[in-house]
Amino acid sequence: MNDDTAFERATRELMELGSDRTPGTTIDAVLLAVRTTPQERDLRIPWRNAPMSNPMRLVAAIAIIVVAGVAAFNLFGSSPGVGGASTPSPTASPSAPASSPSTGPTPSPYSINTTTWTTYTSARYGFSIGHPADWFVHTTATRDWTFPADATVDMKSTALETFVSPDSSIAAAAWSVAVQPGTTLDTWLQAYCPLAESPAPSDCATMPGRTVAASMDGHAGSLVRFTEDTQAFFLVNDRIYVVAIWQSEDFIPGGVSRLLEAYLSTMHLLPGGPAPSGTSPSPS
Amino acid sequence: MDRDLVERARSGDQAAFADLVHQVSDTLFGIARRILRDPGLAEDVLQDALVTIWRKLPHLREPDRFEAWAYRILVNACYAAAPRNRLWASTVRILPIDRASDTDDFQAVSDRDELEQAFRRLPLDQRAVFVLHHHAGLPLVAVAEALGIPEGTARSRLHYATRALRTAFEASRARDHLREGRLA
């Protein structure tokens, strides 16, 4: 049997194993719950069933244009200077000056408001970082992160500062590690990637194409989309700082990268650096 | 799927919903069990998903799309429940079994165990696409529609999942061949 056939057979068996019979107790529990669970009311406007005639379409189109024009005039007509009023983000900060003209980029519909986030300080790793107020601190690091032992990312590791979303569907973690003087971020990433991309280290060949620039507390770094997570890396004073989000990129609208960038925007290095401890060996 | 049954359940008919549950529960349970790899957790998820389906049925505009809509609710329930599984129990490993003989049957068991471990390491969104495509038999465009994602995303998730499984499978085969060589 060649490997292709064997692989197909093995995957088919993987999908066929076990019984699909729903236990009767599960169905009973559902039907019992249904008896006391009201359905949600559908308050939406019903779909049109009758087709609209062409003259009616024309009238509707003119009406929409007129309404949009009046709305635009009211919004922008009396605004002085360039740019007019900035487009409000659904999550815009309440402290932002509403009337100041904006020449910057229009906020994304997926903008994340970090003003309500809770600040967490890691003396061990020498930074503070925000996390959404309703996320919980899952792990407070009780030991230093080391390479390569901790590079095969395990969110349950006690070497990480880890935050988890209320439904446990997303986890964020941050840590830092001292490296040998002269180590560059690229060389460190080349050594780190095969372990982070386990079980498919060959994916590291395409890592440059999945890397974009990132910044944290005024420091430039790299944001890398791995297969199962997205991580940001910064080299500052012979120490690598890492923030990771465990979920694949398209798990949330706007991308996990945007959530990671929000985390980075709240991150600051402590003036005194991390608490004194032994340095971890560098991968370089 | 019986459109009339869906419409009656949508308008609050509990008996119709009970019939609907009997029609779809095995399919939904099979999907949840394969995504989660844990029958107990799959039962809990199915229960939550079916109650959610009942609550939200009035929002379903097109009864003909009931199955795809139900798949999405189920997979979301898996996402909500499984991370606890994934995050808290991801280090669960199947113990290697003693190698008693070098038969094809043994090879098949070995392959399957390796794939099982590899499948458990996949992100949930990749597992969902893989199960809906390979187990439920949905074409990729239907998988994308059921999950509310672009078809390209469904395709790439399936690609990554298949590649990870194949890598694990080939590694297993290589190890077995090496072992056979040493034994010979």
Side-chain angles (χ1 to χ4, degrees):
Chain A
M1 191 186 315
N2 68 38
D3 272 4
D4 281 347
T5 310
F7 177 67
E8 283 167 17
R9 188 183 80 168
T11 52
R12 198 167 51 245
E13 286 178 353
L14 181 74
M15 289 292 104
E16 284 173 356
L17 280 176
S19 166
D20 289 344
R21 181 119 185 135
T22 313
T25 50
T26 302
I27 293 180
D28 291 345
V30 169
L31 299 182
L32 193 64
V34 160
R35 280 190 210 159
T36 55
T37 305
Q39 288 185 313
E40 292 175 5
R41 292 177 63 197
D42 187 17
L43 299 175
R44 289 173 299 184
I45 298 166
W47 289 106
R48 286 177 53 82
N49 289 322
M52 194 183 266
S53 65
N54 284 339
M56 283 302 292
R57 282 187 183 145
L58 184 62
V59 169
I62 291 169
I64 289 168
I65 290 167
V66 169
V67 169
V70 170
F73 178 81
N74 286 338
L75 271 175
F76 306 118
S78 58
S79 179
V82 292
S86 59
T87 307
S89 158
T91 54
S93 163
S95 60
S99 59
S100 61
S102 166
T103 53
T106 305
S108 155
Y110 301 117
S111 292
I112 295 170
N113 175 17
T114 58
T115 59
T116 58
W117 285 23
T118 302
T119 300
Y120 176 92
T121 300
S122 172
R124 174 179 294 275
Y125 290 136
F127 59 77
S128 66
I129 190 168
H131 65 82
D134 58 346
W135 288 39
F136 60 93
V137 178
H138 171 253
T139 309
T140 297
T142 55
R143 64 177 178 84
D144 285 350
W145 191 94
T146 59
F147 185 94
D150 292 310
T152 305
V153 180
D154 172 9
M155 70 80 61
K156 292 179 295 182
S157 167
T158 52
L160 307 178
E161 314 282 13
T162 309
F163 318 103
V164 174
S165 64
D167 66 357
S168 300
S169 63
I170 309 178
W175 68 95
S176 70
V177 60
V179 295
Q180 300 288 346
T183 302
T184 66
L185 191 54
D186 281 347
T187 56
W188 194 87
L189 276 173
Q190 290 298 327
Y192 175 80
C193 180
L195 296 165
E197 278 289 33
S198 172
S202 58
D203 284 355
C204 291
T206 62
M207 186 174 66
R210 292 179 281 121
T211 302
V212 296
S215 77
M216 176 275 292
D217 199 16
H219 301 283
S222 296
L223 186 152
V224 183
R225 292 173 184 167
F226 293 105
T227 306
E228 298 191 13
D229 48 56
T230 303
Q231 302 183 32
F233 305 87
F234 301 89
L235 175 59
V236 182
N237 297 333
D238 296 328
R239 179 167 279 270
I240 303 271
Y241 293 83
V242 185
V243 183
I245 301 280
W246 274 291
Q247 257 308 348
S248 52
E249 176 58 18
D250 48 11
F251 184 77
I252 58 173
V256 163
S257 301
R258 196 169 297 279
L259 177 62
L260 181 52
E261 284 164 355
Y263 264 93
L264 295 176
S265 73
T266 67
M267 188 171 178
H268 300 284
L269 303 188
L270 300 182
S277 63
T279 58
S280 300
S282 165
S284 63
Chain B
M1 185 54 54
D2 185 339
R3 181 190 170 97
D4 178 58
L5 208 53
V6 175
E7 287 188 335
R8 284 196 288 128
R10 191 173 59 166
S11 60
D13 184 335
Q14 293 184 1
F17 185 71
D19 288 346
L20 206 52
V21 166
H22 283 107
Q23 284 191 19
V24 300
S25 61
D26 287 355
T27 303
L28 296 181
F29 179 63
I31 291 170
R33 193 175 61 75
R34 282 169 178 80
I35 292 173
L36 299 171
R37 320 306 293 174
D38 178 339
L41 188 59
E43 283 177 35
D44 292 344
V45 163
L46 175 65
Q47 195 171 315
D48 288 348
L50 285 171
V51 174
T52 302
I53 287 170
W54 162 255
R55 275 196 300 110
K56 294 186 175 295
L57 252 178
H59 300 301
L60 175 64
R61 286 191 183 280
E62 300 170 56
D64 292 334
R65 295 192 60 252
F66 172 79
E67 278 182 317
W69 179 77
Y71 289 162
R72 188 185 299 193
I73 288 175
L74 178 78
V75 171
N76 283 340
C78 288
Y79 288 158
R84 285 187 279 276
N85 187 38
R86 175 193 177 213
L87 300 177
W88 318 136
S90 60
T91 53
V92 170
R93 290 280 188 275
I94 295 172
L95 292 174
I97 40 185
D98 290 335
R99 192 177 176 82
S101 67
D102 287 331
T103 63
D104 281 352
D105 283 348
F106 183 86
Q107 179 73 63
V109 171
S110 173
D111 290 344
R112 203 174 56 228
D113 283 348
E114 194 67 39
L115 282 180
E116 177 67 37
Q117 292 184 46
F119 194 85
R120 284 169 183 265
R121 289 193 294 265
L122 292 178
L124 284 164
D125 47 10
Q126 291 180 19
R127 292 192 210 176
V129 170
F130 194 90
V131 169
L132 288 177
H133 184 62
H134 285 294
H135 166 66
L138 300 185
L140 271 176
V141 64
V143 172
E145 185 194 3
L147 298 179
I149 57 177
E151 188 183 346
T153 303
R155 189 175 303 283
S156 89
R157 287 180 189 177
L158 183 65
H159 167 75
Y160 280 120
T162 307
R163 190 176 59 182
L165 294 178
R166 183 176 275 280
T167 300
F169 176 83
E170 287 171 354
S172 166
R173 285 269 159 147
R175 273 196 303 275
D176 287 346
H177 289 155
L178 188 63
R179 200 176 292 132
E180 281 166 12
R182 283 179 185 157
L183 289 173

